[in-house]
Amino acid sequence: MHPKIVGFALVLALGLAIAGCAKPVPAAKSAYVGEWQRPELYLLITQDGSVKYKRLKGGGETSVEGPLQEFDGDDFSVGIGSMSTRFDVTVPPHQLKDGSWKITVDGLELTRTPE
């Protein structure tokens, strides 16, 4: 088999294995599900427990993609085993009078993108 095909197959298998480790978002935390953003920060949490995070800061970029591991109070962890990242949620998802949704993660207030 061609080395590029073998490499692609390994990457695909790893991606499927990682996706299989995601824990669905519990019903009590369903307000977290959605696409949250502001100009320098993007956060996507899907119902199946997949998480994508991208932050621009100080001329650099931090990004995390992986399965949801667990919720601890309002905070949540993403990743596999010891290779995980904890997200500090200082204000959990809440709906404003105008119908918009907000959450504060890592000290920044994000707005959920309307569906």
Side-chain angles (χ1 to χ4, degrees):
M1 210 183 291
H2 193 277
K4 285 186 179 180
I5 294 173
V6 171
F8 176 76
L10 288 173
V11 169
L12 181 62
L14 179 60
L16 291 173
I18 289 172
C21 295
K23 294 182 180 177
V25 175
K29 299 292 185 180
S30 64
Y32 284 74
V33 173
E35 182 180 52
W36 303 88
Q37 55 190 321
R38 64 183 285 144
E40 70 276 23
L41 181 59
Y42 175 84
L43 174 64
L44 174 65
I45 302 173
T46 63
Q47 183 61 51
D48 72 359
S50 299
V51 179
K52 183 175 185 177
Y53 170 93
K54 182 177 174 181
R55 182 173 183 180
L56 303 174
K57 183 178 179 183
E61 179 181 302
T62 301
S63 61
V64 174
E65 278 189 60
L68 176 68
Q69 278 190 331
E70 66 178 350
F71 280 92
D72 181 14
D74 294 328
D75 301 341
F76 59 94
S77 297
V78 175
I80 299 174
S82 63
M83 295 180 56
S84 65
T85 301
R86 182 182 174 100
F87 290 88
D88 179 36
V89 179
T90 51
V91 180
H94 58 284
Q95 190 171 25
L96 302 179
K97 290 180 183 179
D98 67 3
S100 65
W101 283 82
K102 302 286 185 178
I103 187 173
T104 303
V105 178
D106 296 337
L108 296 175
E109 185 179 68
L110 307 172
T111 303
R112 184 160 58 195
T113 304
E115 295 177 16

